[in-house]
Amino acid sequence: MHITQILFWSLSILALLSAILVVVSKNPVHSVLWLILVFFAISGHYILLNAQFLAIVNLIVYAGAIMVLFLFVFMLMNLNADTEPQKNKWLKIAGVIAGGSLLLVMVAALKNADMKNQLAEMNTGSIGLIHNLGMVLFTDYVIPFEISSVLFLSAMVGVVVIGKKD
Amino acid sequence: MPINYYIFLSIALFCIGVAGVLTRRNAIIIFMCIELMLNAVNLLLVAFSKMHQHALAVTNPNAGIDGQLFVFFIMVVAAAEVSVGLAIIVMMYRNTHSIDVNFLNRLKH
Amino acid sequence: MNAIIISALWGIVMMFSGIVSGNKSTVRITAIVGLLLLLVVNWLDMTGVHLFNVDSHKMLFFDTFGLLGNCIAFASTLLYVLLSGRDIEKVGVNTAEFFALIFFVLCGVSLVTTFNTLLMLFIGIEIISIPLYILTGADKRNLKSNEASLKYFLMGSFSTGVMLLGIALLFGASQTGTFFIDDLGVGKAALSPLFISGLLLLLVSMGFKVSAAPFHFWTPDVYDGAPTVFTSFMATIVKAAIFIGFIRLFDEAFGDSQPKWQLFVAILTAATLFIGNLTAVFQQSVKRMLAYSSIAQAGFMLLALLSLNGIAREGLILYAAAYSLATIGIFAILIKMKDYTFEGFNGLAKHHPVLAATCTIFLLSLAGIPLTAGFFAKYYMLSAVIATGKFLWLVIFAVLCAAVSVYYYFRVIQAMYFKEGDAQTLDQGPLFRGLLVFVAALILLLGIFPDLLISKLYTMIYIW
Amino acid sequence: MIPVLLIVIPLVSGLIGFFLKNEKSARGWSLFASLVTLVISLWGLSLSKGSALLHADVEWLPRLGSRFAVGLDGMGQILCLLTAISFPIIFIATWRDEYKKAWNFYALMALSQAGLMGVFLAMDALLFYFFWELALIPVYFLCSIWGGEKRIQATFKFFIYTFVGSLLMLVGIIWLYSHTADHSFSLKSFYELRSRVGSQDQMWLFWLFFIAFGIKMPIWPFHTWQPDTYEQSPNATTMVLSGIMVKMGLFGVIRWLAPVLPVGTWAWGDTASALCIIGMIYASLVAIRQDDLKRLIAYSSIAHIGLMCLAIFATTAAGLQGVMIQMFNHGINIIGMWIVVDLIERQFHTRKISELGGLAQKAPGLAILLVIVALANVALPLTNAFVGEFLLFSGVFSSTATTYSAVFTAVAGLSIILSAVYTLNMIQRVFFGNTNALTEKGTDIRLNEKWVLAAIVVLILVVGIYPKPVLDLTKETVETILTKMNYKL
Amino acid sequence: MSNIVHLVWLVPVLPLAGFLINGLFRNQLSKSLTGLVGCGVLLAAFILSLLMFGEVRREGFEPVVVSLFDFISVGKLHIPFAFQVDQLSILFLLIITGVGFLIHMYSTAYMHEEEAPHYARYFSYLNLFVFSMLLLVLGANYVILFIGWEGVGLCSYLLIGYWFKNIDYGNAAKKAFIMNRIGDLGFLIAIFWMINQFGSVTFGEVFTKASTVPVAALTGITLLLFVGATGKSAQIPLYTWLPDAMAGPTPVSALIHAATMVTAGIYMIARSNILYSLAPTTQTVVAVIGLATALFAATIALRQNDIKKVLAYSTVSQLGYMFLGLGAGAYTGAVFHVMTHAFFKALLFLCAGSVIHAMGGEQDIRKMGGLRKHMTVTHLTFLVGCIAIAGIPPFSGFFSKDEILSAAYGASPVYYIIGVFTALLTAFYMFRLYATTFLGHFRGTHEQEHHLHESPSAMTIPLIVLALLAATAGFLGIPAIIAPHAHWLEHFLEPVFAGSANLPAVVAKRSAAEQGGNMEGMLMGISIAAALIGSLWAGLRFSRKPQLEEPTGFAAVLANKWYVDEIYNALIVKPLDALAKFFSGFVERSVIDGIVNGVGRLVQYGSRQIRLLQSGLVGGYILLMVIGILVLFLVELFVKK
């Protein structure tokens, strides 16, 4: 068993477990932390796939910025475990069943994809490197790049409109 | 690594996210679960990009790079969404002192 | 390209217009000017005059279908601002920002109507959605508004997730690892289960945006909870634009594999028509009834998606125009009503004959009675499906649903004309009434000579 | 030229009428306009069949292959004449009825006239559908605004009912259109369809159309909207509805169904005929039990329409000829009946037969005129209806389209007896016997009413004694329709 | 002089003019003027007919068809509005206009109490009736005949209901009209069948083509025609309206329900004699029905106490005789009996009228008696009438009835025996009537007796004229056995019935009858005997002790007309009414309309249920969305496309 495989499996299991814990843990702060763990696992996968840039960005943006934002909000509202009233359990069960069966169905739909031979090349290849990404981003992808500024702008305006007292 | 593994892994993550959305009532947790779903997708995209690169490396060195760039844009959008989303949740919290999605239930039928 | 850039820029202009002058009407005037400008530049685009020559690397593709969609979107926005501009000011203090957001939405609209890769579609839809979350919650003190925006946001981002998964799967399926919609389904790609799964997920998420059952649940609550002015905006311009994107996507990307997905669209259509019309019957508030009716109308527009042919494309443009005109008109009147329930309309004809008459025309158009644009809109949808030679059951079902729709549309007419009562309205100026009459006349004109709009389309669309 | 005028004059006069804001002038204006229309249609009659003035064909929707094509053939002539005659009669007869916001009332009446004219004149399927709806909308408003206390529900039921029908018809029209050789809605290309559309398709297409027309006529069991609507709507509108509007259904079958889908018509002929006959007997029996004059006449009308529809499916010259003339006669007669009802209601404020009686002593003039109209209603010889029903029945009897022609004739014939029963009952209980407290202070009718009724009576007798001109008018149409109907795949 | 025949259209037009004048100016005209117009037009018509008769009676006269205009012409079918003048129609013309004139004249006096407008209404109706009756007999094709046919029905409706304030009269009128309608339906269908068979309804064409069509069709057509006849001429099963029709003024009963209208059926069948002779089955049916009616009505007449009712039933019975004659092929005899019957029955009714007039509206014979002292003319003329109808030679009734009976014997002895028995009954009840009314002593109230008087001359003159006719008309048809070739009528009508007379079957039958020629004397004797027995027995018995007590047992059954009306009520009217009630009450409201409204309610109910999906909970919404996705995927996985 090759080292990368070991890493792959361990990371996958880590990701899944902590993802489940995100969902089940009573205390919201805990689930934030579990989520961060998920992000780390995923970043690990990125590194395995030799997509260093994304791995870093993932950590900075998600684990760093976004999750901190979440935590701030929690602090702001100082919510603790028992603030969330329990959803009636039938709906809970229904949710779990729905999610599970969704998984089942999609797996069923995708299992017979003839991709046995298709490999995701591990820890080689250069496309994940910031240099290539930058080249493409600022040539072919310049339009979406610029346009997404509009997105941010609108988000900003929106947050201002909503957030500011009047 | 066979691509199927990644596919199933990310679908599994995605579905966990979905289950979370369905089972929790805390708006922020729900939102986090959605983020989880997005990350699952990101992982899948990266995996696919690598798969394409592997397949087409000979003809085009940059094959599959679009996938990773897409992930980049998803992160961008996610960030924007988070800011707006949290703003909305905070606004609601201001008015109701609750972030229970079922707390506000005036609009129905 | 013109439209995208100008709308983005003008959004910024609007932001600053608020700071430059506190006077709200100047803000509104600026917006109107901007919209006129948009219309002009978009028209220039159509006639081949590009103010900015930017190489979009095939990420955007400007065909007449999309640009015409823009035209309709901008024109109806203009009408919308003219009719309900003052009411936007009433919503909150940040008028300028609201207008700015509207312009950003228009930017997103012009992306969605002209995208050529899934990336652009995704960004466009997000640019449309995020401001809408805000506008829905614009009435900050109003809990209904809060609730609506929260629901809208959560479900919207959920559907975004679904959409992204779909895109990812499509990317995986594609042979060359691309997001360009016209290379997606080529070769073996179309056979892969990844492809069809991705397609389904895209169908779901787009269906969510156009509120197709069973992904419509956000619509009634959001339309009901949002400030009425913005409901009007969402229900008309945005919906129509996304529909154009919807058609574009399925036509370009999945046109060849139509037999694979036609059945699903048929199911969605039937469900949408059924739920939309049936649920609208029992509503007590006109606003909520209109929300459901917009679902029902979406069901009719889905018929165009079902049968992707020339008739469908023309029809969709006509439908978008007819539907937007009528709905904007009705909402403009609804905003002026003190009481949104059906009883609130009792005896409107006696006190405000003009409002009642125009409202009647709008309703008739929505119901698809001849002599109104709505008739030809529906006519096109039906004939598009019939031309495919399949799904006749769906056509019959659709007309039966249309008959049901008459039930709830005419409840308003009955209230206005046949019931006794004194309908309370806010004051409306002669200009407002004049505009209403103008819109009504427009609807009638399209209803008698749809060729004015269509024959142009015809020539254009078949070049494309 | 003339067809256009026939549509435009009522249309414009109606639109103007909305702004006349004064009862008297509105009434006068609409009467004047309707008289002008009458003159025009008479002019049309005077022209020879080939005349270019009788047709108009203008570019309308080139993209859809639909043109504004209108024309006066024999059937169009007779029905337009009926429409043109009826409206002045109605206006004069109801001259003294009071309406709030009368100008709107008269304007809407004029609009409905325009719609009816259009239906009878349209030579293009889409145009036909347009006018079909256009005729419906004004009537809907007329009934719902000026009708009786249960007007809203009754009229709404009527509207939805007919709307469903017309939507089905629309589907049918579009389907046929998409199968025309030249993608056109014109009557001509529709008539060429009968060879292009397979018998299987014709089978189901038939019902799309027949339900629409059957609801309009109405044919049993689609009839339940009718009595309620007649009962609830203002008398003037009831006259339009029953006198002219029901003819739209028959007209539709003759022009747009039977010749276009001959095979389907042939195949379903017996079923449809059975429905018609059930309807005749059923309606006649129900009519016997009615106490409200309006409902009684409504049901009798159902019976008569059933007979006409039956004769269409007989596909015989006599039968069709009979339908043509009978459409005209039935219109005239039933309007006469309504006028009488209107007079009674205006005097005694009731339509209950049980509350009336002995009017013959108080209003001999009215009694005599009513008796004549009623006799026409039971198709007594030398009244117009006799000619019609004679032809209808002989057509049905000699039909080769069905194997049961004799049975049909015999069973349908029973309605002749039943019609005598309820009509005589009505006459006797309303006009004969002794007066009661209510009718004690009755007076005879005024001059204008007397003259209107007299005019109707004269029409009845003239057509009844010398029907030749009317028959000749529709001869050609009948032959052409018949040849198309007898087409076999 | 042949142009006079071409003026035939004047004959109906005159009464029509009278109708219009009296009808339109009923409020302006004075009574005397009205009467003058009313009678004048008829007199003119009568004279005209006489002139034409003079033309027609000449040897070798060919029927003249005067076509006025094209009534209906569709495709191959042409129905001209045409009149036909031949021996048969001229004969009826004379009867109608002649008797009609007398009765009009009588009416001027009889209806004198009415005030002017109603008086005018009465005469206008009467004229209208004569007009339609003339159409009926003059029509050159079945459609014109039918027009008259329904026309007379209408007039009888109007005249029976003349006193419209009285609901019962109205009901009687309605009954008459509807029963006629039933018959008319048969007639109509027969016409359609003819159109189908012959492609024409003109007498000439139909009769010439008759022998070419299959017998079955002919039988059908003739039977249907006969159904029409049973309605109009009050035969079983449609006779019940006639007795009720006595509600109308007595002259009306005399004119319509005795002399003219009710004989329309006989005219029609005589007119289409060829068709009938070609359809032996139908002939049998006609004969049997006629005979049955004759006997049946006679039995009822035995126990009636209303003077007009007795006459009414005797009319029904006599009509039965005529149909028997037609059925036996004795068309001449039937027509002959129509004529004589027209005279004596009109006479009897008018006498009855004058009696009622004198008794101040009293019609029950038990309250009369001994009137002979008070009203001589009436008494004598009535007696003449009775003798005539009883069939006692040499009065007219004897000859016509005897001719029918001998023909009946030719057809089948059974007919003859029953016929004679009926003749006996006829004589019996007529003389019962006569005796109870005129003989014995008066049984009415005192002031009635004081009020008794002979009627004015305007009424007595017609009586006398008719009496003379009734007494002498018989000599137009003296049987061959008495004086060969003296049968003027047979000779006169020969051309009309030539067609059927020369049919092989008929010829054979006649020759057979010739064999039994010697029988004829005996038959005549028997019938005379029967008549004498009946009349004398009744006369002697009831002149001494009239039948005043309420009938019991079988007599009660007779008095109640065999309860036929009740049976009809129970079998037809009630069920129909119940059915109508069921339809209008239940089916219409609950079933059909119920379904229509049910759909509406279903939609509303569905709406109320479906909107519950909109729970307002985001979780629920997303759950449903996920389920939607699941469904799509499942379809993708499991539905094979």
Side-chain angles (χ1 to χ4, degrees), chain E residues 476-529:
Chain E
L476 292 176
I478 303 160
I481 169 169
I482 297 171
H485 310 300
H487 200 312
W488 175 85
L489 195 64
E490 187 169 19
H491 177 67
F492 177 70
L493 289 176
E494 206 162 14
V496 183
F497 302 126
S500 57
N502 303 337
L503 292 170
V506 181
V507 174
K509 199 192 278 176
R510 198 186 307 109
S511 56
E514 246 93 78
Q515 306 311 320
N518 52 352
M519 291 289 293
E520 200 157 326
M522 193 185 81
L523 301 181
M524 200 179 288
I526 295 174
S527 54
I528 296 172

Side-chain angles (χ1 to χ4, degrees), chain C residues 377-448:
Chain C
K378 281 197 168 49
Y379 164 86
Y380 264 92
M381 294 302 142
L382 295 179
S383 50
V385 181
I386 288 175
T388 63
K390 286 178 287 184
F391 298 107
L392 203 79
W393 60 271
L394 193 56
V395 175
I396 303 285
F397 185 72
V399 294
L400 292 182
C401 289
V404 174
S405 76
V406 168
Y407 179 87
Y408 51 82
Y409 289 132
F410 273 54
R411 270 178 74 193
V412 184
I413 296 183
Q414 288 174 347
M416 292 189 301
Y417 280 92
F418 314 145
K419 299 261 175 70
E420 295 303 321
D422 48 351
Q424 298 296 327
T425 65
L426 312 171
D427 55 338
Q428 349 87 18
L431 177 66
F432 176 76
R433 285 202 213 87
L435 273 166
L436 278 183
V437 173
F438 170 71
V439 176
L442 215 57
I443 287 178
L444 289 179
L445 190 67
L446 281 181
I448 299 167

Side-chain angles (χ1 to χ4, degrees), chain D residues 74-75 78 321 324 470-479:
Chain D
M75 181 161 52
I78 197 166
Q321 194 62 273
M324 302 277 174
V470 190
L471 291 174
D472 295 344
L473 191 61
T474 53
K475 217 180 219 66
E476 285 177 22
T477 324
V478 168
E479 281 150 7

Side-chain angles (χ1 to χ4, degrees), chain C residues 115-138:
Chain C
F115 70 93
N116 197 35
T117 105
L118 293 175
L119 178 59
M120 280 322 222
L121 174 65
F122 170 61
I123 292 177
I125 284 193
E126 284 305 314
I127 293 183
I128 290 176
S129 310
I130 285 178
L132 287 186
Y133 302 150
I134 308 295
L135 291 177
T136 311

Side-chain angles (χ1 to χ4, degrees), chain D residues 138 155 175 343 396:
Chain D
T155 327
W175 197 93
L343 295 174
V396 174

Side-chain angles (χ1 to χ4, degrees), chain E residues 80 89 129 160 175 184 407 433 488 514 537 558 568 632 634:
Chain E
S89 50
F129 167 77
I160 296 169
K175 188 175 178 185
D184 297 350
L433 178 62
W488 175 85
E514 246 93 78
W537 178 21
L558 293 185
Y568 281 180
L632 288 187
L634 289 174

